[in-house]
Amino acid sequence: MLKKTPLGQVLGLGSAKAGAEHWLRQRVTAVAGIPLVLFLIGYILVHRGASRAEIVASMQNPIVALLMTLTILNLVWHMRLGLQVVIEDYAHANPTKYALLLLNTFFAWVMALAGVHAILKMSFGL
Amino acid sequence: MADTRNARRPLSPHLQIYRGGLTMLMSIAHRITGVALYAGTLLLVWWLTAAATSDPYFDMVQAVFASVPGRLVLFGFTWALIHHTLGGIRHLIWDMGRGFGLRHVEMGARLSLAGSIILTLAVWAIGLGVS
Ligand code: HEM
């Protein structure tokens, strides 16, 4: 047996103390997601068949640009937390699990940055 | 770490022990739609990026979305989004400690399924200009 105290044997193996935070963030982004999804569906319906110039012009309204930015960031945050749970539920083998968790984080960052970049570019009229 | 499992001890019940039903289906659907929507954000970001890029590129992306397969995917995306949102609202109600009675759970499952279908059709009816 290892020469470790009972406490030393379990430290670092159990909960990472991040569960409650994760759970709460998932709920906060879910609540925020309700009005933002309504905004997104409304925006898409209003701009169906719109030309590119009209989409760009819509983003020059700061309220629209900010709402769309919020939508993207909230959605990306929520989906990253959500998929993390799915991965942890099904992938138990360590290399696969960590690779998938890493991919999840990368994908979320790329979506957030690409989305916000596109919105700001249009908003600033470039 | 040592494997401390004792083969003779029962494990907690897994999926096959439960009788299937609408509530179980809706629970599974919430996870599947969540994962599908995850992939679907790629479409939203692609569309935004196209709008921020150039006319020919935007027209190409619009044509992809307007094609029959494109529309099928967007229709599925709309349903998944609405169903997952309604399912999410059910989760939030449970998180407040309410609505656990069998009758309520069963009713919520029916309402979220029917609601998601009706709302999806309504959104598409508006989108396609049917009034
Ligand atoms: C495109 C938008 C969305 C994406 C990509 C998304 C993605 C996800 C994913 C991947 C999960 C994990 C699924 C699971 O653990 O089974 C999840 C869970 C959840 N989602 Fe969403 N979601 C979106 C929108 C929403 C909205 C608008 C709500 C609003 C009510 C919502 C509420 C929830 C809730 C409450 C959970 C946790 C469910 C649980 O604990 O099992 N989601 N979402």
Side-chain angles (χ1 to χ4, degrees), chain A residues 13 23 27 30-31 34 37 40-41 43-45 48 50-53 55-56 59 68 72 75 78-80 83 85-86 89-90 103-104 107-108 111 114-115 118-119 121-122, chain B residues 1 31 34-35 37-39 41-42 44-45 47-56 58-59 62 77-78 81-82 84-85 88-89 91-92 95 122-124 126-129:
Chain A
L13 293 176
W23 185 91
R27 267 69 197 168
V31 172
I34 300 170
V37 158
L40 184 63
I41 293 178
Y43 178 89
I44 292 172
L45 282 180
R48 64 185 190 278
S51 68
R52 191 174 89 86
I55 302 294
V56 172
M59 292 295 169
M68 191 60 90
I72 295 284
L75 187 158
H78 174 88
M79 75 175 194
R80 201 200 124 216
L83 205 75
V85 176
V86 177
D89 276 354
Y90 302 122
L103 273 178
N104 182 32
F107 181 76
M111 288 302 105
I119 294 165
K121 191 176 167 199
M122 291 188 274
Chain B
M1 242 191 349
R31 173 155 285 196
V35 174
L37 291 170
Y38 183 95
T41 49
L42 201 52
L44 177 60
V45 169
W47 185 81
L48 283 170
T49 307
T53 303
S54 70
D55 284 337
F58 183 68
D59 292 342
Q62 288 288 72
F77 185 83
T78 314
L81 184 60
I82 293 174
H84 183 91
T85 304
I89 293 172
H91 271 278
L92 293 173
D95 291 340
V123 166
W124 275 73
I126 298 170
L128 294 173

Side-chain angles (χ1 to χ4, degrees), chain A residues 9-10 14 17 20 25 41 54 57 69 100 110 118:
Chain A
Q9 284 173 36
V10 298
K17 303 283 186 292
R25 292 254 178 266
I41 293 178
E54 286 165 327
T69 307
L100 289 174
V110 171

Side-chain angles (χ1 to χ4, degrees), chain A residues 51-109:
Chain A
S51 68
R52 191 174 89 86
E54 286 165 327
I55 302 294
V56 172
S58 77
M59 292 295 169
Q60 293 179 359
N61 177 334
I63 297 188
V64 174
L66 286 177
L67 277 175
M68 191 60 90
T69 307
L70 256 184
T71 305
I72 295 284
L73 292 181
N74 185 73
L75 187 158
V76 165
W77 198 356
H78 174 88
M79 75 175 194
R80 201 200 124 216
L81 292 172
L83 205 75
Q84 183 187 334
V85 176
V86 177
I87 294 169
E88 287 166 350
D89 276 354
Y90 302 122
H92 301 299
N94 271 343
T96 324
K97 182 169 111 180
Y98 288 116
L100 289 174
L101 289 175
L102 211 58
L103 273 178
N104 182 32
T105 301
F106 292 166
F107 181 76
W109 273 100

